[in-house]
Amino acid sequence: MQKTVLIVGLGLIGSSIALGIRRGNPELKIIGYNRRQEPREIAVSEGIVDLAFGNFQEAAEQADIIFLCVPIKQTIEMLASLASFSLRADVLVTDAGSTKLAIVRAAEGLPFKFVGGHPMAGSHKSGVLAADVNLFENAYYVFTEKSPELENLLRGLHAKYIVMAAEEHDAVTSQVSHFPHVLASSLVQQSDSFAVGHPLVKNLAAGGFRDMTRIAESDSAMWVSILLSNPAAILARLEDFKGQLDLIGQKIANRDEEGIRNFFEKGKQIRQAMEIHQGNRGAIPNFYDLFISVPDKKGVILRVLALLQDISITNIKINEDNREDIHGQLQVSFKNETDLLRARKIIETATDFVVE
Ligand code: NAD
């Protein structure tokens, strides 16, 4: 019998998962549930799901596999609702939430099989219109327990499936994802306050600042729910970081040249040994930007665009203000890594522009 997969929450993650499931398992029936009507209509008209429901119970009761792809708080509420429905006997429920312990605990003792999941890729965009079949390409996809059924179902995502206990997942992501988001937002707010007495701060903020703070543009509603569902681990990272700042602060105060050099050498070596250095994805979503140093000449931007005409570009920005420490004044954004690499090759082959 044809199996039915239900995607609950037809946003960025739910719709992208649906596209990936269809790519790997085209024979499956994929249905969706979303409270709002507009995502339902778009998901059906774009072929992301075969059918979309505005009633959770009606959709859930005809599904063999259910993906909860809504914010964390709603995921926890929906687990409780599912327990009161007449679900299929061997239904498998999973989720996509960015934290795992609160969700896994909420599923304990419920009358259906639940496996926690976290596809660790994303975008600064949200909603069904940002759906991308390649979003999870080569990204880690964490399960809280081994599930060959889910791995097989999700094979079309081309992700890397790993198993982690929920608690360990939340500890690790607090360090490499949650805390960096807190830090990025703090840094831009500190700069904003400082700019009151030093207005040129806004002009002189350059490449290093941009790289450090890009994730400050992430969706605030999502980050509220992440911080509130993983508070202990994130607070521990905050405390620990204060110690790091004190350490380097002391070295600066003591004019400890050797100590400061060692501090930066150590940071450099650690980063170079990390997977992100090999271009692999980590816990923070990648942004697929190409920085091209183009001469300030008439027609040059049109030339770049003509060269890239066969590749889907999501955004173009001309960074005019400050060129110091910046990788290039033309910033072109792509949907995924494959498009980015193709574009880079085309520009490097056809021009002598420096590309980073
Ligand atoms: P999104 O805002 O793009 O989509 C959420 C969808 O759920 C929307 O269509 C919304 O209308 C719907 N929705 C919300 N509450 C609902 C309810 N009560 N009933 C029915 N539908 C409801 O968000 P997203 O980025 O797809 O995130 C979904 C989940 O995936 C979150 O738990 C998030 O933590 C997780 N996640 C996000 C990212 C990311 O970078 N965006 C990465 C990995 C995991």
Side-chain angles (χ1 to χ4, degrees), residues 8-14 33-36 39 69-72 74-75 78 96-98 118-123 125-127 222 226 285:
V8 177
L10 295 165
L12 168 75
I13 299 297
Y33 160 65
N34 205 94
R35 204 177 35 188
R36 284 177 41 234
C69 304
V70 289
I72 297 163
Q74 281 76 4
T75 301
M78 284 179 173
S98 304
H118 180 196
M120 292 181 63
S123 159
K125 287 181 256 160
S126 60
M222 186 170 115
I226 290 175

Side-chain angles (χ1 to χ4, degrees), residues 85 96 204 251 329 331 333:
F85 299 164
L204 298 186
K251 291 183 202 298
Q329 70 274 55
Q331 178 178 350
S333 310

Side-chain angles (χ1 to χ4, degrees), residues 3 63-65 87-93 112-113 149:
K3 284 209 166 184
D64 299 288
I65 300 159
L87 300 178
R88 290 198 168 163
D90 53 356
V91 65
L92 173 60
V93 182
F112 47 78
K113 171 87 186 150
E149 186 179 359

Side-chain angles (χ1 to χ4, degrees), residues 95-106:
D95 78 307
S98 304
T99 62
K100 293 276 56 86
L101 192 57
I103 293 173
V104 166
R105 285 211 173 128

Side-chain angles (χ1 to χ4, degrees), residues 146-166:
K146 182 97 186 131
S147 175
E149 186 179 359
L150 284 174
E151 278 186 37
N152 183 42
L153 180 75
L154 294 167
R155 62 179 181 233
L157 269 62
H158 305 158
K160 295 188 279 195
Y161 303 100
I162 55 167
V163 175
M164 273 174 104

